Amino acid sequence: MNEFVSYHSSENYAIIGINNGKANAISHEVIDGINLGLNEAEKNNLVVILTGISGIFSAGFDLKVMTKSLESAKELVTKGSRLSLRMLSFPMPIIVACNGHAIAKGAFLLLSADYRIGVEGDFKIGLNEVQIGMTMHHAGIAIAKARLSEVYMNRSVINAEIYNPKDAISSGFLDVIVPESELIATAVQTAKMFAKLNPIAHAATKLRVRKHHLENLKNAIELDLNEEISINH
């Protein structure tokens, strides 16, 4: 797709891989690459597997962009929110094969997928925005509300609690964890199972189940566009 995002397809699934440095940061180029991969998968009715690099799915937005200016940060955050909106309403199933750490936007991508497979180990998963001085944006709150129980929503969004992979299942960021050596094989096996779903019924049911949350997220993105992003150092 581009130098930061790879795309490989098989008979009934496509693997979109993020590879952007040590933090596997979510930049404009990464979002563009993911969107190109989603275009291709949608065109060919393929289940999507989104994955990162060994030890890290993503540590969040590209800090170089986020610290450049408030306008620059807002532009990237908005683009990330729109990617989540697209993922949550995507007609084919989306699986995240989470290779390890998933922080901030990395964790929001987990909350934007249909099924999340993590790996065992000493990894950190969660939303650290408040911890690093960012007032949580409206879209982030909307995504978290859609996928986390109220107890964990408060703990994760307001208190910036970070979880290990096992606790990330309880909190709602992951569905299962496997040894790292089995991650992609498990994701492929799951994708083949999801490929047996009726695609029209899956797409229509997803939209029906998430209708209220998708409307809230669209409204939240508009609210964020009309407000200054708040980053306190």
Side-chain angles (χ1 to χ4, degrees):
M1 294 292 106
N2 59 33
E3 62 180 300
F4 304 109
V5 179
S6 61
Y7 180 90
H8 304 285
S9 63
S10 185
E11 184 188 352
N12 42 25
Y13 65 89
I15 299 178
I16 299 173
I18 307 167
N19 188 348
N20 185 22
K22 195 167 75 171
N24 221 15
I26 306 297
S27 62
H28 285 287
E29 294 81 5
V30 166
I31 294 173
D32 291 342
I34 293 171
N35 273 315
L36 286 171
L38 291 175
N39 290 348
E40 197 65 24
E42 185 173 1
K43 189 172 74 181
N44 295 292
N45 292 322
L46 299 176
V47 175
V48 171
I49 297 170
L50 181 62
T51 193
I53 53 179
S54 182
I56 187 160
F57 176 58
S58 176
F61 285 126
D62 189 335
L63 284 178
K64 293 193 295 290
V65 180
M66 293 296 286
T67 54
K68 188 177 172 186
S69 69
L70 288 178
E71 291 74 23
S72 175
K74 183 175 177 177
E75 186 186 5
L76 185 56
V77 169
T78 302
K79 199 165 177 177
S81 299
R82 287 180 174 144
L83 174 61
S84 284
L85 179 64
R86 183 180 187 189
M87 288 174 64
L88 284 161
S89 54
F90 195 68
M92 296 300 290
I94 297 179
I95 299 160
V96 170
C98 179
N99 318 66
H101 301 297
I103 299 293
K105 189 59 190 181
F108 276 122
L109 290 179
L110 295 179
L111 298 178
S112 306
D114 299 304
Y115 195 76
R116 298 77 46 88
I117 306 164
V119 292
E120 298 165 352
D122 187 21
F123 297 116
K124 294 177 179 176
I125 295 168
L127 308 172
N128 71 338
E129 280 81 353
V130 167
Q131 189 178 36
I132 62 170
M134 181 177 172
T135 300
M136 186 63 83
H137 53 307
H138 295 289
I141 294 166
I143 295 163
K145 270 187 173 177
R147 301 303 299 274
L148 301 175
S149 70
E150 192 168 349
V151 169
Y152 280 108
M153 211 280 292
N154 280 276
R155 286 169 62 174
S156 301
V157 175
I158 299 172
N159 301 346
E161 188 170 339
I162 304 297
Y163 308 97
N164 61 38
K166 190 177 174 188
D167 290 338
I169 296 175
S170 307
S171 56
F173 287 96
L174 294 175
D175 293 297
V176 293
I177 53 174
V178 296
E180 190 177 4
S181 60
E182 295 173 22
L183 178 66
I184 297 302
T186 305
V188 166
Q189 187 181 8
T190 306
K192 288 178 176 175
M193 182 179 73
F194 284 165
K196 294 175 183 173
L197 297 172
N198 180 289
I200 296 168
H202 170 80
T205 302
K206 183 186 288 189
L207 291 178
R208 189 174 284 184
V209 168
R210 295 182 180 161
K211 183 176 187 287
H212 174 64
H213 294 305
L214 293 170
E215 285 170 1
N216 284 346
L217 180 51
K218 284 176 193 167
N219 293 335
I221 292 169
E222 288 303 313
L223 280 174
D224 288 329
L225 281 170
N226 293 318
E227 287 185 11
E228 290 299 312
I229 197 162
S230 179
I231 301 174
N232 308 284
H233 298 293

